[in-house]
């Protein structure tokens, strides 16, 4: 049975496409052809777009955004949005803060331990070097002797009519002997003290002169002491007058002086040398002669070899 081409075109279903109507696909007939339409229909079933009889245009409908009545959309930039952190963030912050404090504490402990170990190592090294120097150099203790003691201001002590207030003065001639062959002795007079007393009563005080004494050197110098406003009791005045008649008036001469040992240009730390001497003179005058003497030397923080 023969069907013309116009009837077959009207029986085809309408397809949605990109047409120029109201959004429905419309099939446009191609140029008229006298060929058999059944063969062309079989070809369009397998691939309709490749058939020369059809032209398809599709238009995708644009969806419209539907909003509920009474609602609004507010757009805020991201950098202006502030959010409340969750509670677990606070716990994490506390945990990391405590851990950082523990780490800082351990770091400080390690630093302190290293510093203490370094200080101990330096102290041990210094002690070892000092011990080696002591064994090599064998330092010996200097010897001191009070050769003379001139007395002034006590001439009227035996006179009963004197006012009883005296200003005694003493000039002690001291001999210092350094027996060390390589070590010099440096006396620091700024912090030294020389005092003279009788029967526990301080009469005068002064200073030890500052000087350097080389190795194997003997130095003789004068240390002066002065007192003022000294009052003697009747007992003490009687004892001193009696001792002068016996030609033996004892005085205590005490010395404190800082000393540094020196080897070449190297100096040790300052050590305190204490000298305790008992000197007896025949009279209370400037030309008094020493009738007896004895001295004891003590050195702190330093060992001497006798």
């Amino acid at each position: 049975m023969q069907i013309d081409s116009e009837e077959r075109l009207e029986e085809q279903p309408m397809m949605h496409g990109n047409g120029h109507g109201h959004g429905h696909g419309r099939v446009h007939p191609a140029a008229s052809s006298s060929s058999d339409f059944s063969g062309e229909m079989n070809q369009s079933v397998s691939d309709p777009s490749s058939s020369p009889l059809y032209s398809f245009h599709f238009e995708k409908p644009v969806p419209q955004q539907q909003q509920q009545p009474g609602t609004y959309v507010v757009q805020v930039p991201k950098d202006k949005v502030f959010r409340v952190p969750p509670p677990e963030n606070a716990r994490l912050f506390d945990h990391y803060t405590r851990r950082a404090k523990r780490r800082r504490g351990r770091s400080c402990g390690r630093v302190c331990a290293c510093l203490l170990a370094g200080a101990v190592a330096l102290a041990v090294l210094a002690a070892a070097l000092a011990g080696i120097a002591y064994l090599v150099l064998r330092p010996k203790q200097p010897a001191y002797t009070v050769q003379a003691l001139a007395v002034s201001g006590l001439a009227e002590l035996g006179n009963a009519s004197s006012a009883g207030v005296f200003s005694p003065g003493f000039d002690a001639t001291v001999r210092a002997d350094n027996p060390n062959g390589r070590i010099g002795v440096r006396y620091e007079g700024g912090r030294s003290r020389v005092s003279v007393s009788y029967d526990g009563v301080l009469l005068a005080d002064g200073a030890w002169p500052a000087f350097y004494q080389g190795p194997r050197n003997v130095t003789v110098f004068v240390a002066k002491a002065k007192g003022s406003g000294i009052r003697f009791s009747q007992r003490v005045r009687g004892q001193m007058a009696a001792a002068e008649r016996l030609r033996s008036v004892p005085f205590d001469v005490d010395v404190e002086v800082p000393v540094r040992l020196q080897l070449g240009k190297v100096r040790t730390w300052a050590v305190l040398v204490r000298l305790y001497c008992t000197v007896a003179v025949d009279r209370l005058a400037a030309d008094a002669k020493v009738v007896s003497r004895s001295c004891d030397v003590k050195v702190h923080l330093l060992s001497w070899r006798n």
Side-chain angles (χ1 to χ4, degrees):
M1 183 174 75
Q2 299 291 332
I3 301 176
D4 59 356
S5 60
E6 293 182 357
E7 293 179 356
R8 293 175 63 181
L9 290 173
E10 292 176 357
E11 291 177 358
Q12 295 297 323
M14 301 300 291
M15 300 182 67
H16 295 281
N18 192 14
H20 298 282
H22 299 282
H24 299 285
R26 186 179 298 275
V27 180
H28 300 278
S32 61
S33 173
S34 60
S35 62
D36 189 4
F37 187 75
S38 63
E40 299 294 333
M41 190 66 184
N42 293 334
Q43 184 180 1
S44 65
V45 173
S46 61
D47 190 3
S49 64
S50 62
S51 174
L53 301 178
Y54 297 93
S55 176
F56 299 97
H57 299 277
F58 297 97
E59 182 178 356
K60 197 172 186 179
V62 179
Q64 295 183 357
Q65 184 177 2
Q66 296 183 1
Q67 299 180 359
Q68 297 180 1
T71 61
Y72 300 91
V73 177
V74 180
Q75 296 183 354
V76 181
K78 275 187 176 182
D79 56 348
K80 300 299 182 182
V81 177
F82 300 95
R83 298 189 304 169
V84 178
E88 55 269 16
N89 286 8
R91 292 193 294 269
L92 289 174
F93 177 78
D94 294 338
H95 171 70
Y96 288 125
T97 301
R98 290 193 297 270
R99 187 169 66 177
K101 289 182 179 179
R102 288 195 297 268
R103 287 181 177 177
R104 286 196 297 268
R106 288 194 294 266
S107 300
C108 293
R110 286 194 293 267
V111 171
C112 293
C114 293
L115 292 177
L116 181 60
V120 171
L122 290 177
V124 171
L125 180 60
L129 293 177
I132 294 173
Y134 177 82
L135 293 176
V136 172
L137 300 176
R138 296 287 183 175
K140 298 179 180 180
Q141 177 178 289
Y144 305 96
T145 305
V146 178
Q147 294 183 333
L149 184 64
V151 182
S152 62
L154 297 176
E156 299 296 328
L157 186 63
N159 188 357
S161 62
S162 62
V165 179
F166 299 89
S167 298
F170 300 89
D171 294 344
T173 303
V174 182
R175 172 190 169 102
D177 185 3
N178 179 17
N180 297 283
R182 298 181 181 178
I183 301 175
V185 181
R186 185 173 295 277
Y187 297 94
E188 298 182 356
R191 295 178 293 170
S192 64
R193 183 188 181 191
V194 178
S195 61
V196 180
S197 59
Y198 175 83
D199 194 21
V201 179
L202 180 63
L203 303 179
D205 56 6
W208 185 283
F211 64 94
Y212 171 74
Q213 187 178 19
R216 298 191 182 278
N217 177 265
V218 176
T219 303
V220 178
F221 59 93
V222 177
K224 296 186 177 186
K226 184 68 176 179
S228 61
I230 306 299
R231 293 181 179 272
F232 296 99
S233 63
Q234 291 295 331
R235 182 185 64 83
V236 174
R237 291 181 65 173
Q239 288 180 355
M240 293 183 69
E244 187 176 13
R245 287 193 296 269
L246 296 175
R247 300 292 181 176
S248 181
V249 183
F251 292 99
D252 295 327
V253 181
D254 299 331
V255 177
E256 293 182 358
V257 55
V259 172
R260 294 179 186 269
L261 301 183
Q262 183 169 339
L263 177 62
K265 294 184 179 180
V266 179
R267 300 179 186 177
T268 64
W269 59 91
V271 296
L272 186 63
V273 175
R274 297 182 181 228
L275 179 64
Y276 304 97
C277 297
T278 300
V279 182
V281 295
D282 60 348
R283 67 172 77 182
L284 300 176
D287 57 350
K289 295 181 180 179
V290 175
V291 296
S292 66
R293 51 180 168 254
S294 64
C295 290
D296 183 20
V297 180
K298 292 183 179 180
V299 181
H300 295 266
L301 301 179
L302 186 64
S303 297
W304 297 88
R305 179 175 178 270
N306 294 324

